[in-house]
Amino acid sequence: MNKKHALIGVLSLSLFFSMFKKDSSDNSGTTTTTSNWTLSAKEQAIKDYMDMYVGSAVTSFSWNGNIANCVQGTLSQDVLDKTLLRIKYFRKLAGLPIDKITMEADLNAKCQRNALMIKANGRLSHTPPNTWKCYTEDGYLAANKGNISFGMSDVKTLMGGWKMQEVIT
């Protein structure tokens, strides 16, 4: 191992161990050593990125719908959970509350109806005509009020195709 690699290793370990600081105060104002660990704002941001952004990646999923029979299908609970986690990540990053954000099954079903309409017709529209294959009023409402995308099939689609680099710059 050359000196450059040794220095990088030491710096990496130093950065790792410096991420954690002991909470050394109590309510009396005196300094004590406790077993509680706290993170700085930067360290918390890194942790949130790893836990919430990277942790919400969907590597693959299957759709159980059917275009020929106009069956909208569903997404797995894992995909829904990871999508919710990604939404919470961006909300937290923006300083918005995340504790009461939930997925609504009825709204998800409407969005699935819209996705079926888009897939069946190979077109995007926020105002799809009632002549579209697999048209439903619920699908129309979701198209009219939602973000729509065609050709992507992961949590990035559900988040509007964002990439972390786009958020930072």
Side-chain angles (χ1 to χ4, degrees):
M1 177 186 297
N2 65 34
K3 289 181 183 180
K4 181 179 175 183
H5 289 110
L7 180 60
I8 291 171
V10 170
L11 288 174
S12 297
L13 285 174
S14 296
L15 288 172
F16 175 78
F17 288 116
S18 69
M19 285 180 60
F20 300 96
K21 297 182 176 105
K22 273 209 165 180
D23 182 3
S24 60
S25 62
D26 63 15
N27 292 336
S28 67
T30 60
T31 302
T32 59
T33 302
T34 68
S35 61
N36 296 328
W37 295 89
T38 60
L39 298 174
S40 71
K42 179 180 177 182
E43 294 157 352
Q44 185 63 52
I46 293 168
K47 182 179 181 334
D48 289 344
Y49 173 77
M50 294 305 295
D51 293 348
M52 298 175 79
Y53 185 84
V54 175
S56 65
V58 175
T59 56
S60 68
F61 65 89
S62 60
W63 174 60
N64 62 1
N66 182 294
I67 295 171
N69 296 323
C70 292
V71 176
Q72 82 237 15
T74 59
L75 297 173
S76 71
Q77 190 60 48
D78 181 59
V79 169
L80 295 175
D81 291 344
K82 287 183 175 184
T83 301
L84 182 60
L85 185 59
R86 181 74 53 100
I87 291 167
K88 287 181 176 185
Y89 171 76
F90 283 113
R91 288 182 60 86
K92 186 173 183 180
L93 193 64
L96 298 170
I98 64 170
D99 56 334
K100 295 181 182 176
I101 304 298
T102 61
M103 287 285 194
E104 298 292 329
D106 61 323
L107 296 177
N108 288 343
K110 288 177 182 178
C111 291
Q112 282 298 116
R113 289 182 185 106
N114 174 244
L116 173 67
M117 288 170 33
I118 290 170
K119 183 75 171 166
N121 293 279
R123 298 178 49 203
L124 291 176
S125 176
H126 284 288
T127 55
N130 62 5
T131 56
W132 269 21
K133 181 176 170 74
C134 304
Y135 177 90
T136 63
E137 187 64 26
D138 283 345
Y140 177 90
L141 291 172
N144 192 251
K145 297 183 182 284
N147 292 329
I148 56 177
S149 176
F150 187 68
M152 297 175 71
S153 59
D154 62 14
V155 76
K156 288 180 188 174
T157 301
L158 302 169
M159 288 302 303
W162 288 13
K163 295 178 184 170
M164 190 59 188
Q165 293 78 13
E166 294 169 351
V167 174
I168 293 172
T169 56

